[in-house]
Amino acid sequence: QLQLQESGSGLVKPSQTLSLTCTVSGGSFSSGDYSWSWVRQPPGKGLEWIGLLYHSGSAFYSPSLRSRVTMSLDRSKNQFSLRLSSVTAADTAVYHCARGFCGGSSCYLLDSWGQGTLVTVSS
Amino acid sequence: DIQMTQSPSSLSASIGDRVTITCRASQGISNSLAWYQQKPGKAPKLLLYAASRLQTGVPSRFTGSGSGTDYTLTINGLQPEDFATYSCQQYYTTPPAFGQGTKVEIK
């Protein structure tokens, strides 16, 4: 059974870079049937998609965050990661990693999720 | 970008009730609509996709309907384990977008 687990710093100072890792067990990055996404949820707000990685390792980011986001894949460790630069208090959120099913022309149907990790931006 | 408007933001219901949550997209999404269930501290769970298709293992009391821009999630016979927050998502186009969520609470 596929499991995803987020890890990383829970407290980041303003203007610094947030770094998170998602460890995937019970699954593989080699299948073209799936993509790998990050989604966040600020306190009291709805879910916001951040970006995805295709199995090839190429990335696609939300236009609203594109200038600050970098995602990458480490097949040897079965992990993928998120870096978000120049953070502010508005980036405080629970960050989830998720697997997307690639059907038709979309890879955005998220069929498995991690439980999420809270990242607080504060000095 | 497509905006998703979900209503209500919260509701109170009793065990056995029928509950309906609606989601409206700012433009047509060709039934590329998913519903998720979230419980505090847990991973979100995919309930339905393609507006009305039940994900494997999800109880049949969850049903989805709709087309074009308007979609509905119905829970027939609310169970204790169904008290949670439900979110819709369009996966038709980039960027994918979620509704604000509906919290289902015990009356």
Side-chain angles (χ1 to χ4, degrees), chain A residues 39 41 44-49 60-63 96 105-116, chain B residues 1 34 36 38 41-46 48-49 55 87 89-96 98-100:
Chain A
V39 178
Q41 185 165 30
K45 297 187 177 181
L47 295 159
E48 178 186 17
W49 178 78
F60 193 81
Y61 306 132
S62 170
H96 296 274
S105 59
S106 167
C107 289
Y108 301 132
L109 177 61
L110 304 174
D111 65 357
S112 292
W113 296 62
Q115 66 183 39
Chain B
D1 296 0
Y36 299 91
Q38 281 183 274
K42 302 290 188 182
K45 178 183 178 182
L46 175 63
L48 297 110
Y49 62 97
Q55 176 71 341
S87 298
Q89 179 219 355
Q90 69 83 11
Y91 55 94
Y92 179 64
T93 190
T94 300
F98 296 85
Q100 288 297 98

Side-chain angles (χ1 to χ4, degrees), chain A residues 44-91:
Chain A
K45 297 187 177 181
L47 295 159
E48 178 186 17
W49 178 78
I50 298 170
L52 70 73
L53 286 161
Y54 293 102
H55 76 287
S56 62
S58 60
F60 193 81
Y61 306 132
S62 170
S64 65
L65 296 169
R66 182 178 295 143
S67 63
R68 298 193 291 131
V69 173
T70 304
M71 294 173 59
S72 59
L73 209 57
D74 187 336
R75 298 176 191 279
S76 66
K77 296 181 180 178
N78 249 28
Q79 294 177 335
F80 63 104
S81 64
L82 168 71
R83 289 174 59 84
L84 181 66
S85 64
S86 304
V87 297
T88 70
D91 295 309

